[in-house]
Amino acid sequence: MKTNGERIGNVAKQNNVRLRPHIKTHKCIEVARIQTAGHDGAITVSTLAEAKAFSKHGFSDITYAVPIERGKFEEAIEILRSGVKLNLLTDDAATVKDLDEASGKAGVNFNVFLKIDCGTHRVGVEPHTAAAIDIPRQISDAANLNFAGILTHAGHSYDVRSVEAVKEVARHERDCMVELAERLRDASIEVPIVSIGSTPTINHVDHLKGVDEVRPGNYIFFDAFQATLGSCSFDDTALTVLAAVIHRDTQRQKIVVDAGAIALSKDRGPVSIDPGCGYGHVLDLDGNETGMRVTSLSQEHGEIQAADDAALARFPVGSRVRILANHSCLTAAQHSHYNVLENMEIVDRWDIHRGW
Amino acid sequence: MKTNGERIGNVAKQNNVRLRPHIKTHKCIEVARIQTAGHDGAITVSTLAEAKAFSKHGFSDITYAVPIERGKFEEAIEILRSGVKLNLLTDDAATVKDLDEASGKAGVNFNVFLKIDCGTHRVGVEPHTAAAIDIPRQISDAANLNFAGILTHAGHSYDVRSVEAVKEVARHERDCMVELAERLRDASIEVPIVSIGSTPTINHVDHLKGVDEVRPGNYIFFDAFQATLGSCSFDDTALTVLAAVIHRDTQRQKIVVDAGAIALSKDRGPVSIDPGCGYGHVLDLDGNETGMRVTSLSQEHGEIQAADDAALARFPVGSRVRILANHSCLTAAQHSHYNVLENMEIVDRWDIHRGW
């Protein structure tokens, strides 16, 4: 984990961009401190509950990277008033109008990004639409809002099947944002920050000229998905779930562990690249691959097909395995805390701040 | 929820069997009290953390319905010593030997069930194997263990495609257990309890002669899966996730809500019966179907394809929908509490006891 944090920290430094790590992956104060060591402590969150939890531990520059809606104005204002620079984002003109009014009534000013859709087609406005110019102007002109810049997330970098395809997504993510910033500046709209980033694209982008800020999150732990996609090696992965063998069936050549759909999450993983990925790689206690995968999940049971009789013989009822899950963000969110390993010994316990 | 509780309570009474509800579905003290109103308060749990949490609130007869392994002996002994009748289960002769030794050292006696595989092939011994006689004898003969009986869960009732197929599974679940109990009694092994049960089978079994106890859980909330399977109607479902619209795209005719893979879980639902089930049914605030489904999920985003322009027009950014999730057990486990509705008003807040 520390090595992953340092490596991406260096990528940001070398490219002269601010790293604003997305803490939704781990939801953990201690991990965020490692990610922001030597930085200004700016972070990205996915819920206002995360913003509150982290603000109580000294993080005071926080971007809530999910489009704001009016039901959350009151809570956002409360966080802003507690002394946090809380940056919001939107892609909706009606919400800008309402947020301006609510901010005026509360006597506060929000920094607001325009969320851009650079190809993921999840949320955001597309860069070549009228809204991509009109909403920034509307935010800039609003009495109680500051236009913070433009922000995107190339989520479709998770859906491709090769490193070359990730590189193409990364180039496009950067280029479409830098071009939009130029058009906004040509239209006399100041663009303080161009913010991009996902773990696959930050690992593979060729340069970051014109970009001010990157927001990867998953890189701190990585997972079976990212290793399969080529964003990291399997040795770089840093999060596993400890599980106990509760059943062994020599006839069906399988074991069952006490980590099921809740402990691992039911993320299906990189099925387009690795159809047999199942729900995670089964490692021994030293972190070595056993060649087995978690093949099916129910609430508190994980079924594991054994590679051969020898694999089965290693794991009687009561023995332990470690599961490298498909998607570390979803797996971590299922737990209340991490057991921190150093040289394979548990040296600390760190809390996970969940909820909404 | 109350109606579901009463109905299954009455099914148990009419069939003269004990209802030992599985509280893994809700993990909530107040819900368990509704399920056990007028009963002896016996419950089923899926983790020792659930056993501990419920024992602190007066539940003192608890079956931990996942095979025990030696790493959990110490915690189980601690719970037993706190005054709880904690019933364990196993399918492993080596574990029986170790549990007997550990119980002897601790000066305690455990009630231990043999877990039977009646066709699910997840855990348990098959009823016609030598182990199905040998392990009960081993438990009966152990100095510090009491043979509690035989226990099964027809989990494969979730995988079938019709009510007729569920009925067949239910009949088989009952018959194979009653027959095994007879063979054990013929072998002079006392069988205090024959315990069966899943929500689909308890809803569809024709009689329960020879059965002592049923352990359904999901029935208290039901969900989109059970309604699709025919275990209930959609009107019987009692758990939804409130979500805010954070994005609307008239071109792609979709909305995005702030309930994603964490808030809903990524359970794929009854895809074999309803290939377009997605990740949940989208209801309006009054609980009426909108005709839309949650089509894809990322961590904090749920994408919903709109049925038509009219559906889209009803849900601007900032409006609210309710999501009837595919699998209520997994969805509930993602949250810290329930908001309790009576006549569409929030009247209470009940805690959810998560973790391991």
Side-chain angles (χ1 to χ4, degrees):
Chain A
M1 182 189 66
K2 285 181 180 171
T3 309
N4 295 338
E6 280 168 19
R7 188 167 71 80
I8 295 297
N10 285 335
V11 169
K13 270 182 207 158
Q14 283 153 14
N15 284 282
N16 201 27
V17 296
R18 165 196 272 162
L19 175 69
R20 184 188 282 274
H22 206 318
I23 63 81
K24 79 183 175 76
T25 299
H26 52 77
K27 302 173 184 275
C28 175
I29 305 297
E30 291 84 352
V31 177
R33 286 195 180 130
I34 288 169
Q35 288 177 298
T36 58
H39 297 65
D40 58 6
I43 57 169
T44 309
V45 301
S46 67
T47 68
L48 290 182
E50 290 168 3
K52 278 186 178 174
F54 278 71
S55 72
K56 283 178 188 151
H57 291 85
F59 291 87
S60 59
D61 182 355
I62 301 177
T63 297
Y64 170 50
V66 171
I68 190 74
E69 51 85 27
R70 54 185 65 76
K72 300 188 183 81
F73 287 174
E74 196 177 317
E75 199 175 356
I77 289 167
E78 183 194 316
I79 295 168
L80 196 73
R81 279 181 171 157
S82 77
V84 173
K85 184 184 162 211
L86 181 68
N87 313 297
L88 303 178
L89 53 109
T90 186
D91 58 19
D92 185 64
T95 301
V96 172
K97 184 172 171 289
D98 290 355
L99 181 62
D100 183 39
E101 281 177 21
S103 300
K105 274 185 198 163
V108 299
N109 266 65
F110 274 105
N111 296 319
V112 181
F113 284 91
L114 175 66
K115 171 80 181 187
I116 301 298
D117 172 11
C118 66
T120 303
H121 307 322
R122 188 175 65 180
V123 297
V125 300
E126 290 181 77
H128 287 279
T129 56
I133 305 292
D134 294 346
I135 297 177
R137 196 185 304 281
Q138 184 193 4
I139 300 171
S140 294
D141 292 348
N144 308 295
L145 306 177
N146 309 315
F147 180 55
I150 54 177
L151 180 149
T152 197
H153 166 66
H156 54 308
S157 62
Y158 286 72
D159 298 329
V160 299
R161 299 181 185 211
S162 69
V163 167
E164 200 41 60
V166 173
K167 286 182 179 174
E168 179 54 35
V169 171
R171 281 191 295 267
H172 179 72
E173 178 188 28
R174 177 200 60 215
D175 291 346
C176 83
M177 292 293 279
V178 172
E179 282 165 25
L180 175 59
E182 280 168 13
R183 275 184 287 125
L184 285 164
R185 286 162 184 151
D186 288 347
S188 301
I189 299 167
E190 204 185 326
V191 184
I193 296 167
V194 174
S195 178
I196 69 165
S198 71
T199 284
T201 60
I202 193 65
N203 268 276
H204 291 301
V205 73
D206 46 358
H207 71 80
L208 289 168
K209 283 170 202 150
V211 170
D212 301 290
E213 177 182 279
V214 293
R215 307 180 326 281
N218 180 279
Y219 75 90
I220 195 70
F221 291 149
F222 288 121
D223 50 33
F225 193 116
Q226 292 297 327
T228 305
L229 192 60
S231 296
C232 65
S233 74
F234 277 94
D235 280 347
D236 295 327
T237 60
L239 182 78
T240 61
V241 175
L242 182 67
V245 176
I246 57 172
H247 174 75
R248 185 167 66 168
D249 182 337
T250 49
Q251 189 198 331
R252 293 194 173 79
Q253 211 169 50
K254 68 164 193 179
I255 56 175
V256 177
V257 295
D258 63 356
I262 297 182
L264 298 176
S265 99
K266 287 193 88 167
D267 198 284
R268 294 186 70 225
V271 282
S272 64
I273 309 172
D274 178 10
C277 65
Y279 294 100
H281 289 236
V282 181
L283 315 180
D284 64 20
L285 280 182
D286 295 326
N288 302 310
E289 289 271 358
T290 64
M292 301 188 287
R293 307 290 178 91
V294 180
T295 40
S296 77
L297 292 174
S298 47
Q299 186 161 345
E300 298 291 349
H301 298 74
E303 294 191 51
I304 296 166
Q305 207 62 41
D308 49 44
D309 285 341
L312 204 63
R314 286 180 67 192
F315 299 108
V317 171
S319 60
R320 293 289 185 277
V321 295
R322 293 168 64 183
I323 315 283
L324 172 65
N326 285 335
H327 189 170
S328 58
C329 310
L330 295 191
T331 303
Q334 305 296 97
H335 297 266
S336 59
H337 64 277
Y338 301 102
N339 289 309
V340 184
L341 292 183
E342 241 173 48
N343 300 320
M344 308 311 284
E345 293 289 323
I346 296 174
V347 295
D348 212 342
R349 177 192 160 118
W350 293 346
D351 285 342
I352 298 174
H353 297 275
R354 298 187 282 181
W356 294 273
Chain B
M1 181 190 66
K2 285 180 180 170
T3 309
N4 294 338
E6 280 168 21
R7 189 167 70 80
I8 296 296
N10 285 334
V11 169
K13 270 182 207 157
Q14 283 153 15
N15 284 282
N16 200 27
V17 296
R18 163 196 272 162
L19 175 68
R20 185 188 282 274
H22 206 318
I23 62 81
K24 78 183 177 76
T25 299
H26 52 78
K27 301 172 185 276
C28 174
I29 304 297
E30 291 84 351
V31 177
R33 286 195 180 130
I34 288 169
Q35 287 176 298
T36 57
H39 297 65
D40 59 5
I43 57 169
T44 309
V45 301
S46 67
T47 68
L48 290 182
E50 290 167 4
K52 278 186 178 176
F54 278 71
S55 72
K56 284 177 187 152
H57 291 83
F59 291 88
S60 59
D61 182 356
I62 301 177
T63 297
Y64 169 50
V66 171
I68 191 73
E69 52 84 27
R70 53 185 65 76
K72 301 188 183 80
F73 287 174
E74 198 178 316
E75 200 174 354
I77 289 167
E78 183 194 316
I79 295 169
L80 195 73
R81 280 182 170 156
S82 77
V84 174
K85 185 184 162 208
L86 180 68
N87 312 298
L88 303 178
L89 53 108
T90 186
D91 59 18
D92 185 63
T95 302
V96 172
K97 183 172 171 290
D98 289 355
L99 181 63
D100 182 40
E101 281 177 22
S103 300
K105 273 186 199 161
V108 298
N109 265 64
F110 274 105
N111 296 318
V112 182
F113 284 92
L114 175 67
K115 171 80 181 187
I116 301 296
D117 171 13
C118 66
T120 303
H121 306 323
R122 187 176 66 180
V123 297
V125 300
E126 290 181 78
H128 288 280
T129 55
I133 305 291
D134 294 345
I135 296 178
R137 195 184 305 280
Q138 184 192 3
I139 300 171
S140 294
D141 291 348
N144 308 294
L145 306 177
N146 310 315
F147 180 55
I150 54 177
L151 181 150
T152 197
H153 166 67
H156 54 307
S157 62
Y158 286 72
D159 299 328
V160 299
R161 301 182 184 208
S162 69
V163 166
E164 201 40 60
V166 173
K167 286 182 179 172
E168 179 54 37
V169 171
R171 280 190 295 267
H172 179 72
E173 179 188 27
R174 177 200 60 215
D175 291 346
C176 84
M177 292 294 280
V178 172
E179 282 165 24
L180 175 59
E182 281 168 14
R183 276 184 286 124
L184 285 164
R185 286 162 184 151
D186 288 347
S188 301
I189 299 168
E190 203 186 327
V191 184
I193 296 168
V194 174
S195 178
I196 69 166
S198 71
T199 284
T201 59
I202 192 65
N203 268 278
H204 291 300
V205 75
D206 46 359
H207 72 80
L208 289 169
K209 282 169 204 151
V211 170
D212 300 290
E213 175 182 281
V214 293
R215 307 181 325 282
N218 180 280
Y219 75 91
I220 195 72
F221 291 149
F222 288 122
D223 49 33
F225 192 116
Q226 291 299 326
T228 305
L229 192 60
S231 297
C232 65
S233 74
F234 276 95
D235 279 348
D236 295 327
T237 61
L239 182 78
T240 61
V241 175
L242 181 67
V245 176
I246 55 171
H247 174 77
R248 185 167 66 168
D249 183 337
T250 49
Q251 190 198 330
R252 293 195 173 78
Q253 211 168 52
K254 68 162 193 179
I255 56 175
V256 177
V257 296
D258 63 355
I262 297 182
L264 298 175
S265 97
K266 288 193 87 167
D267 198 284
R268 295 185 69 225
V271 283
S272 64
I273 310 172
D274 178 11
C277 65
Y279 293 100
H281 288 236
V282 181
L283 314 180
D284 64 19
L285 281 182
D286 295 325
N288 302 310
E289 288 271 358
T290 65
M292 302 188 287
R293 307 288 179 94
V294 179
T295 41
S296 77
L297 292 173
S298 47
Q299 186 160 346
E300 297 291 349
H301 298 74
E303 295 192 51
I304 296 167
Q305 207 62 42
D308 48 44
D309 284 342
L312 204 63
R314 287 178 67 193
F315 299 108
V317 172
S319 61
R320 293 288 185 278
V321 295
R322 293 169 64 183
I323 315 284
L324 172 64
N326 285 335
H327 189 170
S328 59
C329 310
L330 294 191
T331 302
Q334 305 296 98
H335 296 267
S336 58
H337 64 277
Y338 302 102
N339 290 309
V340 183
L341 292 182
E342 240 173 50
N343 301 320
M344 307 312 282
E345 294 289 322
I346 296 174
V347 295
D348 212 341
R349 176 193 161 117
W350 293 346
D351 285 342
I352 299 173
H353 297 275
R354 298 187 282 181
W356 293 274

